[in-house]
């Protein structure tokens, strides 16, 4: 299913046998909103292996961006652990965590606000090198020029300020900054959703190329299924801060198990405009994350829900097919299929 | 940094064309800058421009009408008012520049610090500064200068300290808005230590408002020092300071010698106008998103 990234040099080692670079265990994040507690992320567990691209999908408010910030310790979790290459991030000193940031980077959704408007983009690309390496100024400049070339940003832009560049160019700057120290993990928080459609393809191609050449692991957060499908090895589907399904991209896209995943996939337009549309439009509203339902979080909108679905939270269990897990009690009796 | 290294060596041309661009985009700033520049040059080259020593008294030429010998006339001590007005610019800048610098030195770090740390520190500091601002500053300045003695240094210190909360407030507001921005998050994610986030990423983006304010506050400093001199607690006669001169001239207004107070008054007014125009214009120009 990796339409672009399938000539991966690291495919020598099968994904499942590679060392985990990032592990999130029982991750919980609650926000205090005027006395009430907003449950943004609830007991989330997942692993990203070396060089693996994990696509994280869900509607807005599903907690995907919060997870992106938690795994980089840009936000502090309420409970649970994030382990990066064997190191528990919460146990690190500020200094050790800062040093570790050379190995884990992020690209934000909105490149206009992610860059310092008063610093030349060349300086911003070189900033991680300044912070994490002992390179001399001229060595840094050479590296910055090579990075610019790699993200296809003309070198003449390097001395300019962000206001003088377009959105696509700015996102290339952000990507160059993120890969400057050759990190092992890059979190991409909706890196294309604030860009024009015409610019998007270029950025995606660039990401696929980087993945091929650098073998960097990525957590690709997006609500755009088409984008995620294009680039991911594995998919995590979130609903209200909880993982409802997780598995290889081909399986999750080809035969989604959880009713929510099925509905989500059916809402995505197929590339062929003449293909018959088989959609299931979900009824009702997403429940409030302040007042989470007791049982399955999706039960209130699920067309195949049984009364017992609202009794207790279904565990994320293996479905029997190759490394796929889903949290739906109806998979066991085969009643999880939506009539599309 | 890599900045200068990466940049092309066409700095000078870039600078002149940028100045032209600035003037086109804000005529207000350009006019303000011209007025302030003219006064600054006048002050610097005062000994070359003025026909007489500003504190030299001509005993036979007391209260002479403006004319070809004494362009702006003479005052009650027989001193040339034109020379005194030009030299007065020196005092205006000698008070305004260090006073505003002092305000910046106190206010900007304070605003950065409380804005970034936030919480109780921020609340308490801001309430204390509010309490300070509630006092009419002229009364406070009057009391302090009267107690500490009427010297230029004391006037500068009082004005500089009294005005620093304004800069603290402007910078703090910017820092509050920036603190939770993606830019700061990105700086943190890149591995910046806190001091570098504050100094390299927050300060240059938070100081714009303060820079634009500084021209307006310089006008305020000149006005307060003139007011103190006028009230007799600041700079003393026969120093060629505009406030002192206006005070001297006030007595002669009733007897018809209008020129003694008018010329320093007009000079004061024009310089304040220029500084305010400069401040307003800078406010527009310093917005980086509008640089084109």
């Amino acid at each position: 299913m990796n339409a672009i990234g399938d000539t991966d040099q690291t495919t020598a080692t099968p994904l499942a046998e590679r060392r985990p670079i990032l592990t999130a265990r029982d991750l919980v994040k609650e926000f205090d909103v005027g006395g009430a507690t907003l449950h943004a992320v609830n007991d989330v567990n997942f692993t990203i292996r070396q060089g693996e691209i994990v696509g994280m999908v869900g509607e807005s408010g599903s907690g995907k961006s919060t997870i992106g910030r938690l795994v980089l310790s840009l936000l502090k979790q309420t409970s649970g652990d994030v382990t990066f290459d064997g190191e528990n991030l919460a146990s690190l000193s500020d200094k050790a965590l800062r040093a570790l940031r050379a190995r884990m980077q992020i690209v934000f959704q909105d490149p206009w606000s992610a860059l310092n408007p008063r610093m030349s983009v060349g300086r911003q690309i070189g900033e991680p090198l300044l912070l994490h390496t002992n390179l001399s100024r001229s060595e840094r400049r050479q590296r910055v020029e090579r990075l610019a070339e790699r993200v296809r940003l003309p070198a003449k832009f390097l001395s300019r300020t962000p206001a003088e560049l377009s959105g696509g160019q700015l996102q290339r700057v952000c990507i160059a900054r993120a890969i400057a120290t050759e990190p092992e993990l890059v979190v991409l928080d909706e890196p294309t959703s604030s860009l024009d459609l015409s610019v998007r393809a270029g950025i995606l191609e660039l990401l696929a190329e980087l993945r091929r050449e650098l073998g960097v692991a990525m957590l690709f957060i997006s609500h755009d299924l088409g984008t995620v499908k294009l680039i991911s090895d594995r998919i995590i589907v979130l609903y209200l801060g909880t993982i409802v399904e997780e598995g290889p991209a081909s399986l999750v896209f080809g035969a989604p198990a959880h009713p929510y995943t099925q509905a989500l996939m059916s809402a995505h337009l197929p590339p062929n405009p003449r293909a018959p549309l088989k959609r299931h439009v979900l009824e009702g509203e997403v429940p409030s994350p302040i007042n989470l339902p007791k049982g399955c979080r999706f039960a209130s909108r699920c067309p195949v829900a049984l009364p017992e679905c609202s009794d207790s939270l279904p565990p994320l269990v293996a479905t029997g097919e190759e490394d796929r897990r889903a949290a739906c009690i109806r998979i066991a009796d085969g009643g999880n299929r939506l009539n599309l | 940094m890599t900045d200068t290294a990466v940049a092309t060596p066409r700095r000078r041309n870039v600078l002149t064309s940028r100045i032209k661009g600035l003037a086109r985009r804000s005529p207000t700033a350009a006019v303000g800058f011209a007025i302030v520049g003219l006064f600054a040059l006048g002050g610097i080259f005062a000994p070359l421009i003025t026909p007489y020593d500003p504190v030299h008294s001509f005993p036979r030429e007391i209260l002479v009408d403006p004319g070809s010998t004494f362009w702006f006339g003479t005052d009650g001590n027989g001193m040339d008012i034109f020379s005194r007005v030009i030299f007065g610019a020196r005092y205006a800048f000698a008070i305004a520049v260090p006073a505003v610098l002092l305000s910046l030195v106190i206010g900007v770090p304070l605003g950065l610090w409380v804005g970034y740390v936030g919480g109780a520190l921020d609340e308490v500091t801001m309430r204390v500064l509010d309490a300070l601002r509630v006092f009419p500053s002229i009364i406070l300045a009057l009391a302090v200068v009267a107690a500490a003695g009427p010297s230029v240094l004391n006037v500068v210190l009082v004005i500089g300290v009294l005005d620093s909360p304004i800069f603290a407030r402007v910078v703090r507001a910017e820092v509050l808005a920036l603190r939770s921005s993606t830019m700061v998050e990105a700086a943190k994610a890149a591995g910046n230590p806190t001091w570098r986030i504050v100094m390299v990423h927050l300060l240059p983006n938070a100081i714009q408002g303060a820079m634009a304010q500084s021209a307006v506050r310089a006008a305020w400093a000149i006005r307060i020092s003139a007011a103190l001199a006028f009230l007799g607690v600041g700079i003393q006669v026969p120093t060629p300071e505009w406030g002192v001169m206006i005070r001297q001239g006030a007595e002669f207004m009733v007897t018809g010698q209008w020129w003694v107070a008018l010329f320093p008054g007009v000079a004061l007014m024009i310089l304040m106008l220029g500084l305010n125009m400069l401040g307003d214009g800078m406010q527009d120009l310093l917005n980086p998103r509008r640089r084109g």
Side-chain angles (χ1 to χ4, degrees), chain A residues 69 74 98 101 105-106 108 112-120 123 127 130-132 137 141 158-159 163 177, chain B residues 1-7 182-183 185-186 188-193 196 200-201 204-205 208 286 288-289 291:
Chain A
R69 283 161 171 79
L74 290 173
R98 276 205 309 274
R101 293 199 182 284
Q105 285 287 327
I106 182 165
F108 291 95
W112 289 273
S113 61
L115 291 165
N116 184 340
R118 302 201 164 267
M119 202 188 260
S120 73
R123 248 186 95 186
E127 194 177 37
L130 175 76
L131 294 167
H132 299 291
R137 178 194 286 213
R141 198 190 66 200
L158 290 176
S159 57
R177 174 172 67 177
Chain B
M1 303 287 142
T2 42
D3 190 18
T4 42
V6 171
T182 315
M183 185 194 93
E185 212 174 11
K188 198 175 154 195
N192 277 286
R196 208 166 179 279
V200 178
H201 294 286
N205 287 290
Q208 307 313 316
L286 288 172
R289 311 241 180 232
R291 192 186 293 168

Side-chain angles (χ1 to χ4, degrees), chain B residues 3-52:
Chain B
D3 190 18
T4 42
V6 171
T8 50
R10 297 178 292 123
R11 273 284 141 119
R12 186 158 283 265
N13 288 332
V14 170
L15 198 68
T16 45
S17 73
R18 177 160 289 177
I19 288 170
K20 277 182 197 160
L22 290 182
R24 228 191 336 273
R25 274 184 21 246
S26 176
T28 316
V31 173
F33 184 77
I35 293 174
V36 175
L38 212 64
F39 274 84
L41 288 176
I44 292 166
F45 297 111
L48 303 177
I49 303 166
T50 53
Y52 306 103

Side-chain angles (χ1 to χ4, degrees), chain A residues 23-268:
Chain A
T23 309
R25 217 181 59 233
D26 302 329
L27 209 51
V28 174
K29 179 64 186 178
E30 294 168 354
F31 290 103
D32 193 29
V33 280
T37 307
L38 188 149
H39 304 272
V41 176
N42 309 297
D43 290 309
V44 162
N45 289 281
F46 64 92
T47 298
I48 300 176
R49 294 177 185 281
Q50 282 182 323
E52 185 182 36
I53 315 285
V54 173
M56 188 169 264
V57 297
E59 296 164 82
S60 32
S62 61
K64 50 192 196 304
S65 287
T66 306
I67 292 176
R69 283 161 171 79
L70 289 174
V71 299
L72 296 184
S73 204
L74 290 173
L75 269 179
K76 289 275 171 261
Q77 63 267 32
T78 308
S79 67
D81 290 314
V82 177
T83 312
F84 182 86
D85 197 21
E87 302 242 43
N88 186 337
L89 295 187
S91 70
L92 293 176
S93 68
D94 275 4
K95 199 170 170 226
L97 180 62
R98 276 205 309 274
L100 200 61
R101 293 199 182 284
R103 301 172 58 195
M104 47 183 209
Q105 285 287 327
I106 182 165
V107 175
F108 291 95
Q109 172 172 6
D110 177 3
W112 289 273
S113 61
L115 291 165
N116 184 340
R118 302 201 164 267
M119 202 188 260
S120 73
V121 299
R123 248 186 95 186
Q124 302 199 58
I125 293 172
E127 194 177 37
L129 297 172
L130 175 76
L131 294 167
H132 299 291
T133 66
N134 293 321
L135 297 176
S136 72
R137 178 194 286 213
S138 65
E139 287 169 329
R140 273 208 311 274
R141 198 190 66 200
Q142 282 172 9
R143 283 277 283 273
V144 167
E145 281 167 1
R146 277 217 306 278
L147 283 162
E149 202 178 317
R150 158 154 261 158
V151 300
R152 277 179 229 103
L153 182 76
K156 63 176 179 184
F157 287 132
L158 290 176
S159 57
R160 302 193 185 168
T161 61
E164 299 169 82
L165 272 65
S166 72
Q169 289 163 346
L170 291 179
Q171 198 59 297
R172 287 172 193 273
V173 170
C174 291
I175 292 169
R177 174 172 67 177
I179 61 169
T181 51
E182 295 174 5
E184 287 137 89
L185 173 72
V186 176
V187 173
L188 297 144
D189 185 6
E190 309 235 19
T192 56
S193 57
S194 66
L195 302 176
D196 288 342
L197 215 53
S198 55
V199 179
R200 242 179 242 191
I203 297 287
L204 284 172
E205 252 168 61
L206 172 64
L207 291 173
E209 189 187 302
L210 293 176
R211 172 257 173 112
R212 247 190 337 264
E213 289 171 9
L214 305 176
V216 54
M218 299 183 188
L219 177 61
F220 192 98
I221 298 167
S222 182
H223 62 256
D224 179 6
L225 294 171
T227 310
V228 171
K229 187 176 178 178
L230 212 57
I231 203 165
S232 307
D233 297 312
R234 216 147 49 80
I235 304 289
I236 293 174
V237 184
L238 282 173
Y239 186 76
L240 267 177
T242 308
I243 296 180
V244 296
E245 183 165 354
E246 185 201 343
S250 53
L251 259 185
V252 175
F253 276 99
H258 195 282
Y260 175 67
T261 316
Q262 295 175 45
L264 199 63
M265 299 296 166
S266 80
H268 177 58

